[in-house]
Each structure stands twice: as structure tokens, then as C-alpha cells.
Amino acid sequence: MIRGHGEIARHVERVVEVVEKGVSLPRHTAAQDRLARSWKRSLSNYQVDPSLASTPQVVTAQELREHRDRLDAFMRIAREGLDRLHEQLLPSNYCVLLTDASGVTVDFRTVPSLDRELRGEGFRNGTRWSERDEGTCGVGTSLADGQPILVHRGEHFRSHNIAFTCSSAPIFGIDDRPLAVLDASALYSPENRDSQMLVFQMVVEKARLIEDAFAFHSLRDYWILQLGRTPELMNVHTDYLLAFDDAGLFVGGNRRARKELLQRGSRSASTVSDLFECSANDLLAAAHARPGQAIPLRITDSGERIFGLLRAPDARRRAPANLAGDTPDLNGCNEARGFGHLATGDSRVRTNVQRALKVANRDIPVMLLGETGTGKEAFAKAIHDCSSRHKQPFVALNCAAIPETLIESELFGYRDGAFTGARSKGARGKIIQSDGGTLFLDEIGDMPLQLQSRLLRVLAEGEVLPLGAEQPTPVQLHIVCATHQDLPTLVEEGRFREDLYYRLNGAVFMLPPLREREDIGTVIDRVLEEEAIAMGRDSLRLAPETRDALIRHGWPGNIRQLRHAMRYACAICESTLLHASHFPPDLFFGPRLMSGRPVREEALRGPVPAPQQTEALPQLKEKDLRLRELMLETLRRNQWQVTVSAKELGLSRATFYRKLTRLNIVPPNRRDF
């Protein structure tokens, strides 16, 4: 969808007028005020460029799988609502999508006749729609302020999105944390904003039904009371859901019940008898006497009459844990659930996994070391997934990716009015979000010294004080941190607190770089399979010479670089066989970001004739020259049998092959290839 330069210029001018000059949007309403605040956040807080007309960012296949895994149970429940909304809106050419709480699309329903165009505009699985990435848009803004929103055409922030109409509604869990966003979007729509109100209401209603269904699922271990004002509709429509335990103590409910029943003005109800003119035992007796029939109830403080249906706890959920199907190891961890999707053919990776399984359920902080892109977050997530905390949140924060001015509020959270621009209801920080689960702090070496002191206090005292708060909040915290930096050196230089360093490095894991892994071929094959399947092209294969070149490549960006390169190749290849020409042009021939094995252009076509004389290799260091002579001598003695020679020198075959390439040793039978 091409947007003219004039249209983009007018849109940017309008954004600047609203954000910097205080000009009001047309139709000064509460909805327009929300949009104006979102525009200000987009420009001032996130520095999103409104003139950008590029397609939204899309995560890799591996990252998408991780986002989906965190919402596995919820997505199964939401799928039915997603399908029904899509059926209703498909005749009007609306696509329907579901994102997680970070704004990444985890499920998507397309319009078949417009599928190519929708994908070209960024409507597909894996697209990022947060305000931080896209500025004002349906998904991002409803996540930012926790309310449903209609963002119509030019109300979007980025010029790429100003032709779309988006109706979005957030979905919350029973703990009031945002779980997802349901969205219906169309590429083409009338200029009149009011034309979208029916679609908007349909999205809001479907989001509420999904939210209630997941609340019912989350509370199925308890007695669940479905409440409504019309008994004839009780079996098909529920106004409120409340759950209580055997003692009559409320343990949760759907969002409407929590706001309108459990918290009524200054009073809160914590037991059945606090809310109704009856006890929990009275409820159970009435339900037993009239099974399946609505029970008339009266609310204590208002005298209002309401009807309830009582559902018993799920008996299957009360079965012993060993009937659940997961087979735990001796430490209560499940390797298949945690590390099953990782390649563990490398001996060092395998040792790391075995050690991780032993410490996952111990009160031991974990530190992951390794070059950038070696999969530290994936390893941290695997530790979380195999632990007893796997049903609790896994929350990640990259300390190097957030400006120093924002990292404090991101990590510790803040109360309403804590600073200029703060949300009216405050924000939960990453520490509180990860309570009971795992907090992953990536690039911990980049954390400012002042925040290191605050983090140390949280670890020591087990409580966090959000910005602007007067009372600390207790937290049960398990930390996994990661860095590619030399932390002991940072400690010596005074850039990292020594006491925090010893608090964090309880169990240290060194993740090997991709170029040194014994299973590099397996990793390459697995990444190709995942990326090809994600694009619906599972017939793609690597040409033998291309696979060999990828194995010998230096991979300065490690697995992250491999995944992006493979994704690029899968996207542009028009046949079923991937060759070197399909990979990014600078992959093999661009500037080196770090020392690694050079792969010559000729190597991508086949082995290269190379002189075996050491004087032809002035670029090698003296120790490399000695190693080269030793390898040549061993190879000649063994009639150029690589396996035998590698074993004699105490090297793995993969390492031996990599050294052959780096030292420019070419077997005699290939010199004239």
C-alpha cells in the first residue's frame, strides 16, 4: 500500500502540532485525549519516527515459539473466540489477530483474497505491535493504558499504518496482569470513524468472553460461582465469576466480579458470607438440593437480588502430581519440558544442561556467560521451564537496550504521579511482575551503578520499593543474569559492585560460541527447519557446498546471526535448494566483526587450491605456523585420513575441519577441483 510523500508530510506535521504545540485532535473527546497522550509517548518516550513507512518488525521463528510457549494454555482457550470473530468479520475483509502482552502477534486469521497484501503490510504471526515499536496503534495503545481502543486511519502514529483501521481490546488474567490483546484490522475502510463502532464493540465483547473463559480455566481447582441477574440466561451468559475454597474464602474471579463485587467502594469482601446473606455451607447445601438450577442470592450491603450456579472443583486437577503426565527427574525438573527443543550434541552444552537440571530448583542464582547471540535467553528460559516455577512468569529485561533514564522504572516500577509522564495508575516493574517466577537480566554488566545498589538491597531483603511508593512490596525472586562482558574486570575498574557480583554468580555457565560447537551442523539444520516451517516452505534444503560453507563460517553473531541469515535466505529463495547467493551479501564477504574462520568466496563453490608452503602464508602467527606443520605431518603420515589424524592430535573432527580451513590446508586430491 503506497503512501504519497505529501500524505506522509501532512501526517508528520499533524503529529508535531499535537505533541509539541499542544493542538487538539478533532472532536475533543476522551478517546481523542487518549490518542493524543499516546502520540506524545510515541514521540517523547520511545522516539518512534512518525515518517517511517517501512513494514513493522517481525521476530524470528525461535522467538515466536518462545512467545507462544508462554501462552500455551491461554491460546488453546482463546482459539475458539478468535475463530468465531474471524467468521463474523471475514465477509467485510477484516483480519483478526491475537498478541501477547509484549505486542507480538502469536495467532492470526487472514483474509484469503488479501493474504499476500496483508503479509506485505505486516499482518502476520510474529509482528511487533507495541507502542515502543510502532507508536500509537490498536494493540500497542490498548496495552499501554489497559483499555479497549479504536485507532482509525490517520490516528495511527507511524505513516506506514495511517491507511488501516484497528479495533483492539486487552485481555487480563485473574491477577490483573495483561495477558494478550484481541484485534480486528482492515486495510481499507471508510473515512468516517463511526463506521467502525460495530466492529469495535464485537472485538470488546469477544475479548471479554475469552477473558472469562480463561478465568474459569484458571480457577477450576476451586468452587466456581457463576452469577447473573436473569436465571433463564445463566447457562449461556455469565455476568460474574467468583471462586472460593472449601473454607468459603474467595480466591479470585473474573475482572468484572473483582471490580464490582469483591471491591465495593471502601469495603472489600473476602468470604462468601461477607458478600451474600448466606454462608459457603448454605450455598453448597442449596446446590446439592437443586443441582443445575440457579440459586437466588442477596448481596449484603445493597440488598440486590442475583442468581448463581455453583460448579464443583475439577476432580482431575486434585489428582496426585505424578498422574499429570510429566516425568520429573530426581530434582523435580523435566528436561523435555525445559531443554528438549535445544540442540545438545555439543559436549559442553550437554554438560551445561546436566548441571542446570541440578540447580534449577535450588535457591541458587544463575549467571550465563558467552558472546552475544549464543542463546543465553533461550537457556535461561529453559532453566525456568524445567523448574517448579514453570507455571509462574518468566520476565526478561535487557539492561543494555533501555535508556539509563528509564531502566529504573522498568525494573522497580512506580506509583501514580511518581514523575512527569507517569501512567495515571502507575506501573508494575519487572521485579514485581516476576514474583514467584524467574527474572532474567540480560547484559547485567550494563546496569548503572546506582541501580546495582538497589538491586542488591532487593536480593538481600526480599522486597522492592517502587518509585514514589512509601511501603515496600515483598517478592519471591529467582534471578538468572547474563553478560558477554568480563565482570571481574568491571569490578576491578569500579564499574560493577563486587558484593552484587558474588550475589549473582552462584552457578556460572559458559555458553560456547557457535563456531566452536561440535554440533554446529545440527544447529544449522535445525534452524533451517524452524525458519522454513515458519514461512510455510518446509521443502527447502541446503546445497551441500553451502552447508559446508556455513559450518566453516566464523559466525561473529552466533545463533542469532545464523537465524536471521537463514530467515533471509528462506525468504528470497525461489527454488527448493538454498545456495550461498541466497544469503545476505555481507555474510561471507563483509567486514569481520571479530576474529573467526575466514571463508573465501571460492569456498562457497567448492574446495580451493592452496599452496602447502608456509612461506605463502605470512598472515599466520608463529604458533599457527607450527600447528599447520604438525597437522600436515600428521595428515601425510595417515594418508590424509581426517578422522584418524584428528584423533591422534586429540581434536574433534569438527574442530579439525575448522582448523584445516583457517590454516588453509587443502587435501591433494582437491587442489585441482
Side-chain angles (χ1 to χ4, degrees), residues 153-364:
R153 297 173 67 92
E155 295 171 349
H156 288 87
F157 186 80
R158 267 214 314 133
S159 60
H160 174 271
N161 304 325
I162 60 176
F164 310 148
T165 185
C166 303
S167 294
S168 303
I171 299 172
F172 292 85
I174 58 173
D175 57 0
D176 283 325
R177 296 177 182 175
L179 281 172
V181 172
L182 181 66
D183 175 272
S185 294
L187 297 179
Y188 309 100
S189 62
E191 287 284 351
N192 186 359
R193 189 178 195 272
D194 293 340
S195 65
Q196 302 304 305
M197 294 311 297
L198 179 58
V199 172
F200 174 66
Q201 292 300 329
M202 292 170 68
V203 171
V204 171
E205 178 64 18
K206 200 64 67 177
R208 190 187 70 82
L209 289 175
I210 294 173
E211 186 175 277
D212 286 353
F214 188 65
F216 197 103
H217 169 81
S218 303
L219 297 167
R220 64 195 183 281
D221 292 352
Y222 303 96
W223 295 95
I224 296 180
L225 188 61
Q226 294 176 255
L227 297 164
R229 291 179 172 82
T230 308
E232 292 80 11
L233 298 178
M234 291 291 295
N235 285 305
V236 293
H237 180 79
T238 299
D239 292 322
Y240 305 104
L241 281 176
L242 284 174
F244 59 89
D245 61 16
D246 292 337
L249 185 69
F250 286 127
V251 294
N254 66 351
R255 191 152 47 122
R256 188 175 177 187
R258 294 195 304 273
K259 289 183 177 181
E260 298 180 14
L261 296 181
L262 295 186
Q263 192 67 47
R264 298 171 66 88
S266 59
R267 295 184 57 188
S268 60
S270 49
T271 66
V272 170
S273 54
D274 287 342
L275 181 61
F276 301 113
E277 295 178 354
C278 67
S279 67
N281 288 334
D282 295 334
L283 263 180
L284 297 178
H288 181 73
R290 295 185 293 175
Q293 295 185 36
I295 305 167
L297 299 167
R298 196 169 296 280
I299 297 176
T300 302
D301 59 352
S302 67
E304 180 185 358
R305 194 183 190 200
I306 199 168
F307 296 87
L309 280 176
L310 190 63
R311 301 293 179 95
D314 190 338
R316 293 169 298 175
R317 298 285 299 172
R318 295 194 168 191
N322 60 0
L323 300 180
D326 287 342
T327 306
D329 69 358
L330 295 177
N331 292 297
C333 298
N334 186 295
E335 181 174 2
R337 185 179 64 227
F339 292 92
H341 67 284
L342 299 183
T344 55
D346 181 89
S347 58
R348 285 171 295 179
V349 174
R350 200 159 50 247
T351 300
N352 281 340
V353 170
Q354 291 167 355
R355 289 175 53 214
L357 290 171
K358 293 177 181 178
V359 304
N361 280 333
R362 310 300 183 190
D363 188 18
I364 302 174

Side-chain angles (χ1 to χ4, degrees), residues 564-578:
H564 286 299
M566 195 69 77
R567 186 174 180 200
Y568 175 90
C570 292
I572 70 169
C573 180
E574 296 181 353
S575 63
T576 58
L577 199 61
L578 293 172

Side-chain angles (χ1 to χ4, degrees), residues 523-576:
V523 175
I524 289 171
D525 295 339
R526 182 170 291 194
V527 170
L528 168 60
E529 180 184 5
E530 291 172 354
E531 295 298 332
I533 290 175
M535 291 193 179
R537 305 191 61 192
D538 46 354
S539 62
L540 284 174
R541 297 292 180 268
L542 280 168
E545 67 275 9
T546 305
R547 185 177 186 274
D548 184 54
L550 293 174
I551 289 175
R552 290 181 291 164
H553 185 54
W555 296 114
N558 291 294
I559 297 174
R560 183 185 296 118
Q561 183 191 16
L562 168 63
R563 192 169 292 282
H564 286 299
M566 195 69 77
R567 186 174 180 200
Y568 175 90
C570 292
I572 70 169
C573 180
E574 296 181 353
S575 63
T576 58

